[in-house]
Amino acid sequence: MNEHIDKIKLQLEALRADIELHNYRYYVLDNPTILDAEFDQLFRELQRIEQNYPQLITADSPTQRVGAAPLKAFTQITHRIAMLSLNNAFDDAEVEAFNRRICEGLSIDCVEYAVEPKFDGLAISLCYEGGMLKTGATRGDGNIGEDITVNLKTIKSIPLSLPGKQPPTLLEVRGEVLMLKADFLALNQRQLTKGEKEFANPRNAAAGSLRQLDPAITAHRRLTFFAYGVGRNEDSQMPKDKHSDVMNYLASLHFPIAKECQVVTGLQALLTYYRTIGAKRDQLPYAIDGVVYKVNSLSQQEQLGFVSRAPRFAIAHKFPAQEAITQLLDIDVQVGRTGALTPVARLKPVFVGGVTVTNATLHNADEIERKDVRIGDTVIVRRAGDVIPEVVSVVLDKRPFDARVFTIPDHCPVCGAKAVRLPEEAVSRCTGGLFCPAQRKQAILHFASRRALDIEGLGDKLVDQMVDNAIVHTPADLYKLGITALANLERMADKSANNILQAIEKSKHTTLARFIYALGIRNVGEATAKELATHLGKLDRLIEANSERLQQIPDIGPVVAQSLVDFFAEAHNREVIEQLRACGVHWEEHEGKSVLMLEAAPFSGKTFVLTGTLPTMSREEAKEKIEALGGKVSGSVSKKTDYVVVGTDSGSKYDKAVSLGVRILDEEGLLTLMQ
Ligand code: IVH
């Protein structure tokens, strides 16, 4: 019997080690070597054996990451070595002063530093005894934190036990728990669909998730961990020389270390690192609020020591804040190219994300209501990277008694036309179309933009003047401009007027894809415009195509097709196109990708569904052949399907075709039909 149990024990150990290795490869190295389904199978196997032998379940079994019972309250944990904070530097001069203090303190000219991202998450401490994770705690006030072991165990990148035959007697690893930006966005999306409150940023989301009394909730929230140092340790293997060696050692124990950690020498290298990471900030998968410089030599660190609650040997060099508090003075409504009315907050100027911000978007009426934003409120504004600044939330405590509720107007503030909100849309739109000066200006700006006709120098100030002075009404009018009309505009010298005219002249030679995109048709972006140009080859074919014909082009669905048909049905739009051509705007035309004229194609208007394995053709080949003859291939069978082509191992699609009475073909039948 004992022998049997010993065998099971060994089997369980091997299985657990295997699963944790795959967790490590997936969550730490970002380099999985098995499929998710294979992993699930290993996990279920472990669960199955443990169910039969519950006495063999160990604390470090991967099955124990989740499943702990909810807590009533968190208990306290005393940090035997205090968790300190870092002093901050906000500009180059403060970093220079830091480096000078270090050089003087050590009586040397040049210092080696370990440089790291400053993670914008929550500091935690993990205690391993005999290689097993015993406790995990928050930083708290630095001396006393909360025991959140059960929650930390749910984080897959945190090892439950340390690899190797001779684990350290005691090791306390410190680092930061965060939520990756992608996981944060997905979480907010889920919150939204559940009708629950969104989190303001990844840090709040991580904090909210860690402070759950029910670890099952934390487990659902995909958190990540990065180690940045050690606390207590009784570990003979622990490197004694350099911080960077300690980090490499932690990596060898399977702790996640940020790829961006480096070792550099001297002040200039610190500042270069700051700028390099700053430029990469928005592309990093996690949020950071600066970088950290640490003297790399551990003996030098000791020599420098601490001042009050922070080490002398390290400093955080912070990036400009991306969020700031200010006052919302008023709400204006902007009209976009497609008539969308966007509420814009006028703010008391505030410095955020490295620039002074005076306007921020409020997106739409629903968002204003959801965030309960009122005129006069104190608000939190966020500006990250290149994105438009936005109002994140309201500081309710500071709401003045006379704060005013805002409602989206039911008429366009620019042209006075009625504004309507379609039931499936989040925004109201001005119905003035191109009679609305705001829409006209945006349409002209779009026409001239870089990815459209690319007219250099035609910016919004100039377009405003052109439209307001009634010298340009449509994009075609740009090509009729003379030097006098232009030079009469404000702040327009002869030279700049000439430059604009040259840029307009140059834009006449373009491509069909750019031209289609430039027209600014609803739902037709750059990719769709390219698709239309390659498949149709000629503008007149596009103008004449009906919805059915358009939908034969890959990726063109009914909504886009309808937008195109509606656009070209408008006489005004066809007139502008004619004028543009008459003014000399031109591009090369060709016969289009499909050799046959679509209207003459034998499969035109017919929809096919392919299922199962065909005897001689691959599904891809069959699809190409059907499309070349003007047919459309769809993924699912409906009443609108004309033919279902079945091969061997066809499943539910065949049954559905039978039940709907759709015609069924085999490969031979399809080939005959093609002929
Ligand atoms: S070292 C003795 N390294 O910053 C200093 N801290 O203000 C120990 N932080 O609470 C901290 N990234 O949560 C260190 N690479 C990094 C860090 C980092 C973020 C946080 C940490 C700490 C705070 C210090």
Side-chain angles (χ1 to χ4, degrees):
M1 183 61 191
N2 269 352
E3 240 173 69
H4 172 67
I5 291 284
D6 285 347
K7 235 174 96 188
I8 301 283
K9 248 190 194 162
L10 284 178
Q11 190 188 354
L12 281 173
E13 269 168 30
L15 202 48
R16 283 172 191 145
D18 206 19
I19 290 174
E20 282 300 277
L21 188 63
H22 288 305
N23 265 340
Y24 170 65
R25 286 194 180 130
Y26 188 95
Y27 291 101
V28 181
L29 301 181
D30 198 10
N31 183 19
T33 49
I34 59 169
L35 298 172
D36 290 0
E38 293 173 293
F39 180 87
D40 291 345
Q41 210 170 346
L42 288 175
F43 197 85
R44 276 199 300 273
E45 173 73 356
L46 175 63
Q47 276 178 320
R48 190 184 60 77
I49 306 177
E50 285 185 349
Q51 239 161 31
N52 292 334
Y53 301 91
Q55 74 276 26
L56 298 184
I57 298 177
T58 55
D60 69 335
S61 172
T63 58
Q64 303 307 297
R65 284 192 181 272
V66 275
L71 303 172
K72 292 230 161 38
F74 295 114
T75 52
Q76 293 191 332
I77 281 193
T78 304
H79 302 298
R80 300 259 290 276
I81 299 178
M83 292 181 78
L84 302 180
S85 56
L86 291 166
N87 286 326
N88 293 321
F90 292 98
D91 57 33
D92 291 4
E94 287 177 355
V95 178
E96 199 185 326
F98 162 76
N99 180 62
R100 198 176 330 113
R101 283 196 302 275
I102 303 272
C103 290
E104 283 168 9
L106 298 172
S107 309
I108 51 172
D109 290 338
C110 208
V111 184
E112 182 177 278
Y113 293 100
V115 292
E116 300 170 0
K118 184 168 190 305
F119 308 104
D120 196 6
L122 297 110
I124 59 143
S125 139
L126 299 166
C127 271
Y128 291 83
E129 288 174 25
M132 299 277 271
L133 175 61
K134 275 281 147 42
T135 53
T138 61
R139 174 173 182 268
D141 64 3
N143 294 313
I144 297 177
E146 283 176 324
D147 183 342
I148 52 164
T149 315
V150 285
N151 289 348
L152 291 173
K153 276 184 153 185
T154 68
I155 303 176
K156 304 273 188 19
S157 52
I158 292 182
L160 295 179
S161 55
L162 303 177
K165 293 266 172 288
Q166 282 169 324
T169 320
L170 178 77
L171 175 64
E172 181 191 353
V173 175
R174 290 177 174 181
E176 199 94 342
V177 168
L178 15 105
M179 186 176 283
L180 297 184
K181 291 175 190 167
D183 293 329
F184 164 72
L185 292 176
L187 170 63
N188 264 357
Q189 196 56 50
R190 288 202 302 275
Q191 293 288 100
L192 211 60
T193 40
K194 282 194 291 184
E196 282 171 27
K197 203 172 153 279
E198 284 176 279
F199 293 96
N201 54 47
R203 188 178 187 286
N204 287 6
S209 307
L210 266 192
R211 294 210 72 262
Q212 295 289 333
L213 288 168
D214 181 357
I217 299 181
T218 314
H220 262 102
R221 296 275 178 88
R222 273 206 174 232
L223 295 167
T224 304
F225 173 72
F226 284 108
Y228 55 61
V230 294
R232 288 198 297 155
N233 80 87
E234 288 164 32
D235 182 355
S236 55
Q237 315 265 27
M238 182 61 70
K240 306 240 169 336
D241 245 18
K242 294 184 171 185
H243 174 75
S244 52
D245 298 337
V246 172
M247 297 298 277
N248 289 334
Y249 174 64
L250 290 180
S252 79
L253 293 179
H254 290 185
F255 288 97
I257 308 295
K259 287 193 198 78
E260 288 71 25
C261 293
Q262 281 179 30
V263 175
V264 304
T265 306
L267 172 68
Q268 278 318 312
L270 296 183
L271 299 177
T272 305
Y273 181 73
Y274 177 80
R275 295 195 218 305
T276 315
I277 296 291
K280 280 210 307 203
R281 182 181 187 187
D282 291 324
Q283 280 83 53
L284 290 179
Y286 47 81
I288 59 175
D289 56 352
V291 292
V292 182
Y293 310 136
K294 300 173 181 173
V295 170
N296 199 22
S297 152
L298 297 177
S299 61
Q300 288 178 350
Q301 282 193 4
E302 207 173 320
Q303 215 177 319
L304 289 159
F306 298 81
V307 242
S308 73
R309 309 276 311 149
R312 263 200 206 94
F313 57 79
I315 200 161
H317 189 179
K318 301 284 283 269
F319 292 133
Q322 291 189 308
E323 284 186 3
I325 291 187
T326 189
Q327 212 191 345
L328 191 153
L329 305 173
D330 205 352
I331 297 179
D332 285 351
V333 175
Q334 267 178 7
V335 186
R337 176 167 61 84
T338 56
L341 303 190
T342 305
V344 177
R346 301 286 171 228
L347 306 168
K348 193 168 158 208
V350 62
F351 194 71
V352 49
V355 298
T356 302
V357 168
T358 48
N359 303 320
T361 179
L362 287 159
H363 301 291
N364 56 53
D366 288 354
E367 283 289 286
I368 295 184
E369 196 178 302
R370 193 177 63 79
K371 291 174 184 161
D372 186 19
V373 180
R374 301 188 194 174
I375 299 166
D377 267 338
T378 296
V379 293
I380 296 177
V381 181
R382 183 176 167 76
R383 180 188 175 274
D386 295 336
V387 301
I388 304 168
E390 61 167 353
V391 172
V392 183
S393 56
V394 173
V395 185
L396 282 177
D397 295 351
K398 298 209 174 149
R399 170 164 288 167
F401 70 94
D402 58 350
R404 277 185 296 132
V405 173
F406 171 84
T407 36
I408 280 273
D410 53 8
H411 284 83
C412 171
V414 178
C415 74
K418 217 167 143 5
V420 291
R421 180 172 168 182
L422 298 177
E424 70 277 13
E425 289 202 320
V427 293
S428 304
R429 288 180 198 276
C430 158
T431 53
L434 287 177
F435 300 103
C436 171
Q439 290 189 54
R440 224 182 301 146
K441 285 176 186 171
Q442 294 299 326
I444 293 166
L445 277 170
H446 172 78
F447 183 87
S449 66
R450 203 166 51 80
R451 311 183 89 94
L453 279 245
D454 192 16
I455 307 180
E456 219 184 300
L458 198 71
D460 48 3
K461 297 256 161 26
L462 191 52
V463 171
D464 275 355
Q465 286 197 63
M466 288 174 168
V467 173
D468 294 343
N469 291 327
I471 60 168
V472 170
H473 303 86
T474 75
D477 295 338
L478 292 171
Y479 296 90
K480 301 172 193 161
L481 282 173
I483 184 88
T484 18
L486 262 183
N488 275 340
L489 296 176
E490 251 174 68
R491 272 176 305 197
M492 179 59 78
D494 274 2
K495 179 146 187 288
S496 19
N498 259 321
N499 287 345
I500 295 284
L501 285 181
Q502 263 176 30
I504 292 175
E505 184 62 31
K506 199 172 135 210
S507 74
K508 283 183 181 171
H509 180 66
T510 187
T511 64
L512 178 56
R514 276 177 180 269
F515 187 78
I516 297 172
Y517 172 62
L519 294 174
I521 305 164
R522 275 286 278 291
N523 304 310
V524 179
E526 222 186 337
T528 307
K530 275 191 188 145
E531 196 74 20
L532 290 165
T534 3
H535 277 265
L536 296 173
K538 291 184 167 49
L539 183 66
D540 287 325
R541 275 198 206 143
L542 175 63
I543 296 177
E544 284 150 25
N546 61 19
S547 170
E548 211 172 41
R549 238 172 279 157
L550 289 167
Q551 286 183 61
Q552 290 162 355
I553 298 169
D555 299 331
I556 307 277
V559 175
V560 178
Q562 198 53 50
S563 295
L564 285 158
V565 171
D566 290 348
F567 182 88
F568 293 113
E570 188 73 55
H572 168 81
N573 292 334
R574 289 199 309 271
E575 171 65 29
V576 172
I577 291 172
E578 268 335 296
Q579 288 182 18
L580 284 165
R581 286 205 267 211
C583 290
V585 176
H586 65 283
W587 53 85
E588 267 165 45
E589 299 212 319
H590 57 86
E591 278 311 314
K593 204 169 167 185
S594 30
V595 206
L596 288 158
M597 288 285 281
L598 286 172
E599 51 263 56
F603 284 0
S604 166
K606 297 279 181 254
T607 303
F608 292 71
V609 171
L610 303 169
T611 174
T613 317
L614 302 179
T616 70
M617 276 188 274
S618 74
R619 288 244 281 273
E620 204 40 50
E621 274 172 71
K623 181 168 184 252
E624 270 173 23
K625 285 193 171 144
I626 292 169
E627 284 175 353
L629 293 170
K632 205 181 149 188
V633 177
S634 153
S636 57
V637 183
S638 75
K639 276 190 295 198
K640 289 192 188 139
T641 312
D642 295 288
Y643 300 97
V644 172
V645 184
V646 297
T648 48
D649 298 327
S650 57
S652 61
K653 288 180 189 162
Y654 174 82
D655 301 338
K656 189 146 186 213
V658 174
S659 72
L660 290 175
V662 174
R663 280 191 62 183
I664 295 171
L665 299 173
D666 56 8
E667 187 187 274
E668 216 183 305
L670 176 67
L671 290 170
T672 319
L673 200 65
M674 283 175 170
Q675 279 156 17

